[in-house]
Amino acid sequence: LGSQDGPADGAIILDLNEDPMNPSLAGFFDSYYLHDGMARGDTLWGSAIYEGLLVAIDVSDKSNPVIIGSTQTSCSFTHNAWVSDDGNYVFTTDEQQDCNIGAYDVSNVSDIQQTDFIQSWNNENSPVIPHNTHVRGDYLFTSYYTSGVTVVDASDPYNLIEIAYYDTSPNYD
């Protein structure tokens, strides 16, 4: 993912089945530049950062990926997307000052709906900028530039609750 100025300005899809050490080219996605993404099954969840979109892409035919759903994220600068274990929700970050972790119901991929968003505790002397969020069970683990790392209880994606944080940037308040 994150291919720019290469054979595609979006995502390069590689086939690792025959020879994982020497993958072959299986296809391209080039409708948008995808800064980050996660594939589960035949769906690629892409972060089209410059469009501010979470994009669901059907990659069952690797040579012909098709957008099957998309939605604007809360700060319109979609940096990262990670799907829940049950596949019904996707969580995103927008990599800009004072932005959020977003939760989206993707059970109907053609009608993606935001369910909630949360912003971490705020440093008074530096901006809160989320970087990446990842799912483990019912929890989101999110890194921030100067605010450290947070743990959010996402067991109810309609009510995200920060339950822990650790400041990894002691030089900031």
Side-chain angles (χ1 to χ4, degrees):
L1 291 175
S3 169
Q4 279 185 310
D5 301 324
D9 284 338
I12 299 170
I13 303 169
L14 300 174
D15 183 347
L16 304 174
N17 292 314
E18 289 185 36
D19 185 358
M21 298 306 289
N22 296 297
S24 60
L25 181 63
F28 300 104
F29 172 81
D30 60 4
S31 297
Y32 305 114
Y33 165 68
L34 299 181
H35 180 75
D36 193 15
M38 177 197 183
R40 176 156 314 146
D42 287 330
T43 303
L44 170 61
W45 298 100
S47 301
I49 195 166
Y50 300 127
E51 286 76 20
L53 294 173
L54 164 63
V55 185
I57 305 158
D58 180 346
V59 291
S60 56
D61 178 353
K62 310 300 185 253
S63 65
N64 187 31
V66 175
I67 296 172
I68 54 176
S70 68
T71 192
Q72 199 81 36
T73 56
S74 63
C75 287
S76 300
F77 203 69
T78 318
H79 180 266
N80 153 263
W82 206 264
V83 67
S84 63
D85 291 346
D86 66 7
N88 290 323
Y89 298 91
V90 171
F91 303 94
T92 65
T93 56
D94 284 270
E95 187 186 32
Q96 288 187 324
Q97 183 173 329
D98 298 325
C99 286
N100 312 296
I101 302 168
Y104 298 86
D105 182 339
V106 297
S107 59
N108 177 356
V109 75
S110 63
D111 186 27
I112 298 171
Q113 297 292 316
Q114 184 175 31
T115 59
D116 198 9
F117 63 89
I118 189 169
Q119 187 180 87
S120 179
W121 54 280
N122 200 341
N123 283 335
E124 290 184 24
N125 295 325
S126 65
V128 173
I129 303 173
H131 190 247
N132 283 346
T133 194
H134 296 281
V135 176
R136 183 169 174 98
D138 288 336
Y139 301 99
L140 307 178
F141 295 85
T142 307
S143 59
Y144 290 80
Y145 280 94
T146 59
S147 302
V149 64
T150 64
V151 180
V152 169
D153 181 344
S155 59
D156 178 359
Y158 290 82
N159 186 30
L160 302 176
I161 300 170
E162 184 176 297
I163 59 170
Y165 70 86
Y166 181 73
D167 184 357
T168 59
S169 297
N171 294 332
Y172 293 90
D173 290 342

